[in-house]
Amino acid sequence: MADTKRGADLVVEALSAAGVERIFTLSGNQIMPLFDACIEPGVELVHVRHEAAAVHMADCWGRLTGEPGVALVTAGPGMANALSALYVALMAESPMILLSGHAPRGQAELGAFQEMAQSEMAGPVSKASWTSSQASQLGHDVARAFKLARSGRPGPVHVSLPFDLLQAPLEDTGRLAPAPREFEREAGAAIGDPSNRRILDALEGAKRPMIVAGPAMMRGAAPEGLSSLADSTASPVISMESPRGINDPSLGALSEVLSEADLLLLLGKKLDFTLQFGGPPGISPDCRFIQVDEEESVLQRTRRLLDGSQRLIAAQRADPVAAARDLARWAARREWPDDGWRRRVEEAVQYRPEAWKKQKSPEDGPLHAIEVCRAVQELLDEDEEAVLISDGGEFGQWAQACISAPHRVINGTAGSIGSAVPFALAARLAFPASRIVTILGDGTFGFHPAEFDTAVRNDLPFVAVVGNDAAWNAEFQIQLRDYGEGRLVGCELLPSRYDRMVEAIGAYGEMVSRPSEMRPALQRAMASGRPACVNVAIQRAAAPVVRRGASGGESAPSGHTGH
């Protein structure tokens, strides 16, 4: 006699078959069958305080491990709370799965409790989104979601699970479980030898070529292929994932040399606002383009942007990871003279103004962001697998410019803020023995402070360094720059004691007001073995824009990150 299973059991069994050991979630009526189904298989439920936090955690898991993280939220308002975080994951090209509870299909369009057009709402902010229609297909729906999240440009996939399907009893006939191949990533198309030669001919004929890679190309096996291609062609490679685009301060003085490039090879990189849509002043009007991407829609957009200009050499649909590897192999058969261009670009990217090294804050504070970053860098340097998470407006940009770590996660091209604390929790789970430090502004901290409760409950220690300038400083700087000092409005915050807030939850908290207190406070926070908040009084400094000049460089206010 065949065993009887619920639809919820099929979902959890499929997740287990995909290697999922934990789900980031927040409880709700419509997903209680799934909570129950997780008990016997031993799938851990990391339950959070806000649905967006669950999605942020799944997003960060996907970025750090390369395997889709899984978030589970309830229907209606729970699903609506998750949407902004889903957009962050989409723009970061992060593989993840969002499962949402859903009103029963049997009550469709009858005014059911928490009935919403969830799959339609999630469609624009995910790679794919649908509502399951048959209980017997629930496991296959999960497998399809994993395949889509992993294939092509990685990204989030959403599946809504109606309550009556989760509760439905089914006889296990052996066809309910998806086959292993249903989860597997689809192999992308290869470029092919003629196109390989055409691309290499263009690179070889250019005087100042540059290879630009998108966010997904910064993870997994992709960086190795990019490095090989750079070595084989003596061409510089730039990876971009910041909403500030070519003005990303972690890319140093890139904008100065990018404007000299006469050919950009875009590998898995969209021609969008981060590259100023391929036009001046950031990019020369004479610069030509080659794009390799797995999404035809991305290629079509580039064709429209460059229509009739003769600037587009090729828009090739192919797997950019495989393309980098194949191009490097073919390039190794040619002679590539090194004229110093690659070195010039790399020096520009690594450049930081000499004045930054001498930056000192008043002895009685508040601190400049550079001094905070200097102390954090020392802490991270003590761990070969340290993780840096940077989130927020101006303070977060200083962190990206001044701090390096073996693993880095930032808010991404969505320009969103608020994900720092959930990201830190997922990073701790992905790297249980590493130092996890997140840099965030005081505005950012306000989005998910309750996730310190999640951290304490789950024993997930990390150090959050809050730059407290009592303002939405990114917008404050815009007002100051564009409208003048007399028209500052709506950007003030209180200089709140966020350290005391987390202490009330059971975490470690410490306030820093003077430069001399910074390093000892970080060491105590790390040594506490608990989730920790180091609340630092900082100056309202504009984010850096790195420029080289006769004076040896400067930093100046930058554009808006947004949130």
Side-chain angles (χ1 to χ4, degrees):
M1 182 177 177
D3 293 334
T4 300
K5 296 182 177 180
R6 297 168 297 176
D9 297 316
L10 302 183
V11 172
V12 174
E13 288 174 4
L15 292 173
S16 295
V20 174
E21 297 179 350
R22 63 176 56 86
I23 298 171
F24 307 109
T25 185
L26 197 159
S27 59
N29 294 27
Q30 312 281 21
I31 56 175
M32 287 298 94
L34 289 165
F35 272 48
D36 185 73
C38 285
I39 295 174
E40 276 73 27
V43 175
E44 179 186 6
L45 297 174
V46 181
H47 54 103
V48 301
R49 300 298 302 272
H50 192 283
E51 286 86 0
V55 177
H56 286 317
M57 292 174 76
D59 170 7
C60 185
W61 180 272
R63 296 196 217 182
L64 288 175
T65 70
E67 286 300 313
V70 178
L72 171 64
V73 303
T74 196
M79 175 60 192
N81 281 345
L83 289 173
S84 63
L86 200 62
Y87 175 66
V88 173
L90 178 71
M91 296 300 287
E93 302 177 3
S94 177
M96 62 153 290
I97 311 296
L98 174 60
L99 303 176
S100 66
H102 193 281
R105 283 183 63 84
Q107 299 174 8
E109 300 182 9
L110 296 176
F113 176 58
Q114 295 184 337
E115 182 178 13
M116 283 174 51
Q118 294 176 187
S119 60
E120 293 86 348
M121 292 170 66
V125 291
S126 58
K127 281 190 67 177
S129 178
W130 70 92
T131 302
S132 293
S133 58
Q134 298 180 53
S136 62
Q137 293 300 305
L138 287 173
H140 300 281
D141 281 338
V142 170
R144 177 188 170 203
F146 271 82
K147 179 185 285 288
L148 288 171
R150 290 167 165 157
S151 300
R153 173 175 278 105
V157 175
H158 164 251
V159 187
S160 259
L161 307 171
F163 184 80
D164 50 354
L165 301 191
L166 295 176
Q167 290 280 68
L170 298 159
E171 285 192 5
D172 189 355
T173 61
R175 297 182 180 179
L176 298 177
R181 59 178 173 76
E182 293 183 56
F183 295 89
E184 294 173 0
R185 179 185 188 274
E186 286 186 359
I191 287 184
D193 294 348
S195 294
N196 273 322
R197 286 195 296 270
R198 184 182 182 190
I199 291 172
L200 290 175
D201 287 346
L203 279 173
E204 193 173 29
K207 294 181 178 180
R208 293 175 298 279
M210 195 177 294
I211 301 164
V212 185
M217 295 292 288
M218 301 171 69
R219 305 189 285 264
E224 183 179 349
L226 290 172
S227 179
S228 295
L229 181 58
D231 292 341
S232 298
T233 63
S235 300
V237 172
I238 302 299
S239 297
M240 300 183 70
E241 62 172 345
S242 167
R244 304 218 177 187
I246 63 176
N247 293 315
D248 175 4
S250 67
L251 295 177
L254 169 67
S255 60
E256 296 180 13
V257 289
L258 178 62
S259 61
E260 299 180 39
D262 59 357
L263 174 67
L264 295 185
L265 169 57
L266 308 183
L267 289 178
K269 176 71 185 82
K270 299 175 182 177
L271 184 58
D272 58 12
F273 76 98
T274 62
L275 285 171
Q276 298 183 357
F277 304 104
I283 297 174
S284 166
D286 298 322
C287 181
R288 297 189 300 166
F289 290 83
I290 299 171
Q291 187 173 46
V292 178
D293 203 279
E294 289 196 279
E295 294 183 5
E296 182 60 32
S297 61
V298 170
L299 300 172
Q300 288 287 2
R301 188 170 69 187
T302 297
R303 294 185 185 109
R304 289 199 305 272
L305 282 168
L306 303 178
D307 182 41
S309 67
Q310 306 300 314
R311 297 176 66 200
L312 184 61
I313 298 173
Q316 178 73 45
R317 187 171 185 180
D319 177 357
V321 178
R325 186 172 57 246
D326 292 346
L327 286 168
R329 187 176 67 251
W330 280 91
R333 303 177 184 180
R334 303 188 184 195
E335 294 292 331
W336 297 82
D338 186 353
D339 60 1
W341 167 244
R342 179 186 179 188
R343 184 171 60 255
R344 279 188 60 207
V345 173
E346 291 175 348
E347 287 174 352
V349 170
Q350 294 164 7
Y351 174 80
R352 301 294 184 272
E354 190 67 24
W356 289 11
K357 298 177 183 178
K358 304 171 184 177
Q359 181 72 42
K360 294 289 184 182
S361 305
E363 290 185 6
D364 58 350
L367 284 72
H368 191 282
I370 287 178
E371 286 204 273
V372 180
C373 294
R374 199 177 293 149
V376 170
Q377 184 68 70
E378 292 179 5
L379 194 70
L380 294 173
D381 284 344
E382 297 174 6
D383 181 5
E384 294 181 353
E385 290 294 326
V387 181
L388 169 68
I389 295 157
S390 175
D391 183 18
E394 311 303 85
F395 184 53
Q397 298 303 310
W398 280 105
Q400 291 171 43
C402 298
I403 307 174
S404 61
H407 306 281
R408 186 187 85 152
V409 182
I410 69 171
N411 53 352
T413 55
S416 168
I417 63 173
S419 55
V421 175
F423 277 1
L425 305 191
R428 169 55 64 214
L429 290 165
F431 291 88
S434 298
R435 293 194 166 187
I436 312 292
V437 178
T438 181
I439 298 282
L440 65 159
D442 51 347
T444 299
F445 182 89
F447 280 78
H448 290 293
E451 299 311 329
F452 269 87
D453 172 279
T454 305
V456 171
R457 278 188 287 108
N458 290 276
D459 189 22
L460 301 174
F462 67 98
V463 176
V465 180
V466 178
N468 192 337
D469 55 16
W472 297 102
N473 194 32
E475 290 76 10
F476 177 88
Q477 296 297 333
I478 290 174
Q479 291 180 342
L480 193 62
R481 183 187 68 231
D482 294 350
Y483 308 115
E485 192 169 349
R487 302 191 67 80
L488 300 172
V489 61
C491 294
E492 299 286 336
L493 297 172
L494 292 174
S496 301
R497 292 296 301 271
Y498 303 113
D499 53 305
R500 290 179 178 172
M501 184 186 298
V502 305
E503 283 179 339
I505 295 173
Y508 180 87
E510 188 162 348
M511 182 72 198
V512 170
S513 301
R514 301 170 180 267
S516 60
E517 299 169 348
M518 190 68 228
R519 287 173 176 80
L522 286 175
Q523 293 293 343
R524 286 189 291 267
M526 188 65 67
S528 74
R530 289 185 280 162
C533 170
V534 179
N535 187 21
V536 187
I538 63 168
Q539 302 169 22
R540 289 181 182 173
V545 169
V546 182
R547 297 191 182 99
R548 297 180 295 183
S551 61
E554 61 173 313
S555 66
S558 71
H560 177 42
T561 297
H563 67 269

